[in-house]
Amino acid sequence: MDPTLKAQFDETVKSHPIVLFMKGNALFPQCGFSARALQLLQPLGPVHTVDVLADPTVRQGIKDYSNWPTIPQVYIHGKFVGGSDILMELAERGELQDLVAAGGK
């Protein structure tokens, strides 16, 4: 992976409590999975979104960075959580809110 791109991802995921790499943006999600992830995260606090459709390098790079093949991808307090299915499971078990509230501890 390009060291500059890795540094960019490191900075992004560490600078915001909740980061969502998604197709589209918060105002106009471009896929149902991204929209669902956003809906689950927004009640928990500010969500920093990165539109992977805007840059093919970012779209492939985030998959390499996380070693996760699909978009959306969620990072909470700098740690990779997963995609929309994992978020849904965490929310259903009441663990998603705890993860955000824990502040990375």
Side-chain angles (χ1 to χ4, degrees), residues 13-71:
V13 301
K14 291 176 180 154
S15 298
H16 307 278
I18 303 172
V19 180
L20 174 62
F21 289 87
M22 64 183 289
K23 293 178 180 173
N25 59 51
L27 296 175
F28 195 59
Q30 295 288 302
C31 85
F33 295 108
S34 291
R36 180 171 15 152
L38 192 61
Q39 284 179 327
L40 291 168
L41 293 168
Q42 282 180 321
L44 305 176
V47 179
H48 178 78
T49 61
V50 178
D51 182 359
V52 300
L53 298 177
D55 185 345
T57 307
V58 170
R59 185 176 186 173
Q60 183 55 48
I62 195 60
K63 293 176 186 181
D64 297 338
Y65 181 77
S66 63
N67 198 26
W68 188 262
T70 59
I71 306 291

